[in-house]
């Protein structure tokens, strides 16, 4: 989307009504009503505006996701510190405990996304963080296997709404082609979680026996308390929507509200909820291809996260995981800015996703080979670098191609929710009986990677064909004048603007991102 600074103004910034005063916005609906042209901001002012927004919302969202990923994956670190022996997790019991997290986690992501606006993001997102922090703390007090499984399921319930909710929340603030950069910054926190988790577990291991608690119990308790603190902090600093952000000036709020109104559709987006949008999302073919693409990236990620603490036969196993995630985080962070610039120029995501999959193919090929331990350790660097760099681009690709406010809400929740079932699959493919080579687990990772490559190519083929067909339709309707000398296509767009808004990405004027 081009920056709308050159569009003639119909209102001066001072004449635009106070956005926070409208009845619609008191209900947190309909941001952008009544604003037909933006305040005139220079390129420098626009960049400063988005830096201001980045500074206010990205650090706290990244902190929450860092806590989320640590709390989700620290069970592997706890297992090294005696969890499996204390709770007698022999056989496949540990794998079952991992799997039970994903069932409620995946099923509740769509309902959670549907209520984000109703309960307000500034309340709902911090509430979820405090809730799962409490659950994580209680996990340190479990005494039996069955209690562990029950609390892991509760953790899945509590965490379900965070990730899809945050991705949906970011679409309130950032336009279509600037989203991948912010998702990259946000997701960089996930890559750091592995490093922090290993370091924290190593430090907490020296608390073994304090107050009669084992080291693995202290891992859950202390990290859960940290999450509760982060959630309380988020409740103080998050704002719901651009129209209610008091740290922005009137003209800045007006600009963001106007730009977001047309960020995903030239005709704007319908703000009124209807179950039609839920149906549209469920019946859209591209939602399901993106689900498979999500699974092909997230599945191997979960496999590696759960596998790496057990993959090293060294005295300091916890510390061996730290360089992997530091490297992955560094690669993801330094690549997100140049990738964003290239994506903005090319307006394409698929080539960068394919590059990430290429790193995965090389990494898994090495892991499946009969090579030395050091070479396999290097292969893990490649896999994690590929997964963490490709993940934000994959998410932004999906969100760019779901138009319609509520359809995007549901589609992203389905995309992420069902896609995370691959975590349940990969919780069971790295089996203790396959140690030390874990051939079955690595082969599954390779298979999912090739599935992802196929889905990317299939989506590009279908998107190109649909875009070309729509170009022909518009070209065929553009000729002729009406009695007043106006082009017929202009009159037609005016008449059907409301229908175009309702159709979202199915409208003939919408072009899919490649």
């Amino acid at each position: 989307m081009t920056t709308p600074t050159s569009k003639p103004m119909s209102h001066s910034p001072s004449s635009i009504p106070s956005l926070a005063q409208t009845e619609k916005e008191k209900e947190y609906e309909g941001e952008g009503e009544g604003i037909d042209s933006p305040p005139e901001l220079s390129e420098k002012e626009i960049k400063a505006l988005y830096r201001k927004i980045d500074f206010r919302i990205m650090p706290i969202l990244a902190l929450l996701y860092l806590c989320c990923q640590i709390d989700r994956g620290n069970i592997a670190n706890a297992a090294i510190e005696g969890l499996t022996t204390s709770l007698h997790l022999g056989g496949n019991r540990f794998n079952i405990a991992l799997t039970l997290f994903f069932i409620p986690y995946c099923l509740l992501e769509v309902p959670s996304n549907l209520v984000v606006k109703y309960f307000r993001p500034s309340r709902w997102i911090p509430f979820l963080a405090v809730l799962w922090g409490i659950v994580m703390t209680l996990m340190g007090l479990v005494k039996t296997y069955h209690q562990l499984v029950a609390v892991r399921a509760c953790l899945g319930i509590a965490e379900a709404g965070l990730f899809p909710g945050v991705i949906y929340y970011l679409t309130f603030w950032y336009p279509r082609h600037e989203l991948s950069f912010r998702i990259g910054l946000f997701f960089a926190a996930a890559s750091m979680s592995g490093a922090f988790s290993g370091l924290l577990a190593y430090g907490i291991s020296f608390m073994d026996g304090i107050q009669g608690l084992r080291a693995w119990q202290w891992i859950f308790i202390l990290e859960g308390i940290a999450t509760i603190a982060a959630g309380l902090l988020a409740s103080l600093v998050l704002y719901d929507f651009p129209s209610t952000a008091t740290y922005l000036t009137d003209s800045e709020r007006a600009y963001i509200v106007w730009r977001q109104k047309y960020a995903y559709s030239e005709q704007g987006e319908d703000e009124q909820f209807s179950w039609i949008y839920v149906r549209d999302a469920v019946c859209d073919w591209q939602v399901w291809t993106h689900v498979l693409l999500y699974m092909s990236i997230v599945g191997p990620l979960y496999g590696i996260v759960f596998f790496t603490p057990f993959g090293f036969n060294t005295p300091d196993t916890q510390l061996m995981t730290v360089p992997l995630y530091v490297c992955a985080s560094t690669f993801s962070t330094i690549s997100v800015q140049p990738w964003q610039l290239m994506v903005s120029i090319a307006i394409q995501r698929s080539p960068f996703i394919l590059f990430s999959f290429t790193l995965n193919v090389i990494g898994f090929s090495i892991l499946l080979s009969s090579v030395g331990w050091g070479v396999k350790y290097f292969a893990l660097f490649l896999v994690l670098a590929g997964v963490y760099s490709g993940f934000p681009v994959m998410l932004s690709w999906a969100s760019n191609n779901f138009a319609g406010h509520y359809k995007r809400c549901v589609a992203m929740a389905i995309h992420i929710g069902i896609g995370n079932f691959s975590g349940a699959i990969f919780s069971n493919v790295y089996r203790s009986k396959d140690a030390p080579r874990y051939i079955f687990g690595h082969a599954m990772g390779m298979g999912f990677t090739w599935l992802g490559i196929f889905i990317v190519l299939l989506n590009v083929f279908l998107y190109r064909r649909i875009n070309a067909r729509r170009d022909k339709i518009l070209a065929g309707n553009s000729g002729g004048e009406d009695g007043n000398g106006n082009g017929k296509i202009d009159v037609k767009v005016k008449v059907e603007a409301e229908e175009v808004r309702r159709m979202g990405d199915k409208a003939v004027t919408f072009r899919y991102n490649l």
Side-chain angles (χ1 to χ4, degrees), residues 94-382:
F94 182 75
N95 299 94
I96 292 174
L98 295 179
T99 304
L100 261 293
F101 166 88
F102 290 99
I103 296 175
Y105 180 84
C106 298
L107 293 177
L108 294 177
E109 290 195 334
V110 172
S112 178
N113 249 27
L114 286 174
V115 301
V116 166
K117 292 192 74 175
Y118 179 79
F119 288 113
R120 298 171 47 184
S122 65
R123 295 176 179 177
W124 184 245
I125 292 174
F127 166 74
L128 294 177
V130 172
L131 182 62
W132 92 67
I134 293 172
V135 173
M136 175 54 55
T137 303
L138 294 177
M139 193 177 297
L141 304 178
V142 299
K143 303 296 183 183
T144 67
Y145 159 70
H146 297 93
Q147 291 175 358
L148 175 68
V149 169
V151 177
R152 283 289 294 182
C154 290
L155 183 66
I157 293 172
E159 285 195 12
L162 179 76
F163 188 61
V166 167
I167 299 302
Y168 179 46
Y169 176 66
L170 290 177
T171 65
F172 300 160
W173 297 84
Y174 298 103
R176 184 181 183 191
H177 296 301
E178 294 183 17
L179 195 60
S180 62
F181 177 51
R182 273 72 188 191
I183 294 177
L185 293 176
F186 168 69
F187 195 67
S191 56
M192 285 302 297
S193 66
F196 275 109
S197 189
L199 283 173
L200 289 172
Y202 179 76
I204 295 173
S205 67
F206 294 101
M207 298 180 64
D208 192 39
I210 295 179
Q211 296 296 318
L213 299 176
R214 296 293 307 276
W216 65 265
Q217 293 176 291
W218 281 116
I219 289 174
F220 292 144
I221 293 171
L222 294 180
E223 293 178 0
I225 292 174
T227 296
I228 294 173
L232 294 175
L233 176 63
S235 68
L236 299 176
V237 301
L238 277 182
Y239 286 83
D240 293 306
F241 309 107
S243 55
T244 61
T246 56
Y247 63 89
L248 299 178
T249 66
D250 286 344
S251 59
E252 289 173 336
R253 285 198 299 271
Y255 176 83
I256 294 295
V257 167
W258 185 92
R259 191 175 189 186
Q260 288 308 106
K261 181 179 180 182
Y262 300 101
Y264 293 83
S265 171
E266 293 179 0
Q267 309 301 326
E269 294 187 310
D270 191 355
E271 291 290 336
Q272 301 302 315
F273 174 76
S274 170
W275 286 104
I276 292 175
Y277 298 121
V278 177
R279 183 202 65 189
D280 289 347
V282 172
C283 297
D284 192 346
W285 64 269
Q286 63 163 333
V287 172
W288 301 103
T289 58
H290 278 287
V291 164
L292 293 176
L293 180 58
Y294 188 96
M295 295 179 74
S296 68
I297 290 182
V298 172
L301 169 61
Y302 279 123
I304 294 298
V305 167
F306 293 140
F307 155 75
T308 47
F310 302 104
F312 313 115
N313 185 22
T314 69
D316 297 324
T317 298
Q318 302 281 19
L319 293 180
M320 291 299 296
T321 64
V322 174
L324 292 169
Y325 294 99
V326 170
C327 177
S329 177
T330 302
F331 184 81
S332 178
T333 302
I334 65 176
S335 66
V336 70
Q337 182 61 56
W339 279 35
Q340 170 64 18
L341 291 175
M342 289 186 287
V343 164
S344 298
I345 295 172
I347 315 298
Q348 293 189 3
R349 267 62 175 176
S350 55
F352 307 101
I353 302 174
L354 290 174
F355 172 77
S356 298
F357 277 131
T358 300
L359 294 179
N360 287 9
V361 168
I362 297 172
F364 280 118
S365 297
I366 296 173
L367 290 171
L368 287 167
S369 304
S370 181
V371 294
W373 178 90
V375 179
K376 290 189 175 183
Y377 188 53
F378 168 74
L380 292 176
F381 282 92
L382 294 177

Side-chain angles (χ1 to χ4, degrees), residues 359-489:
L359 294 179
N360 287 9
V361 168
I362 297 172
F364 280 118
S365 297
I366 296 173
L367 290 171
L368 287 167
S369 304
S370 181
V371 294
W373 178 90
V375 179
K376 290 189 175 183
Y377 188 53
F378 168 74
L380 292 176
F381 282 92
L382 294 177
V383 174
L384 288 173
V387 168
Y388 280 113
S389 62
F391 190 87
V393 184
M394 177 268 296
L395 280 175
S396 68
W397 193 29
S399 65
N400 285 176
N401 288 329
F402 301 141
H405 191 67
Y406 281 102
K407 178 184 176 179
R408 185 165 58 255
C409 162
V410 177
M412 291 304 295
I414 293 174
H415 173 220
I416 296 170
I418 297 180
N420 270 309
F421 270 113
S422 61
I425 297 172
F426 275 81
S427 296
N428 296 278
V429 300
Y430 284 95
R431 305 169 298 188
S432 57
K433 67 179 182 180
D434 297 329
R437 292 189 62 186
Y438 296 99
I439 295 295
F440 181 70
H442 296 324
M444 286 289 289
M446 176 70 88
F448 270 63
T449 299
W450 280 109
L451 170 65
I453 293 173
F454 170 76
I455 294 299
V456 170
L457 296 176
L458 176 64
N459 274 7
V460 170
F461 171 75
L462 293 175
Y463 285 151
R464 284 187 185 278
R465 191 172 68 171
I466 294 172
N467 286 348
R469 184 185 305 140
R470 292 176 181 178
D471 287 338
K472 290 181 179 179
I473 292 174
L474 285 181
N477 287 335
S478 61
E481 302 281 326
D482 66 6
N484 297 318
N486 298 316
K488 289 183 179 180
I489 186 63

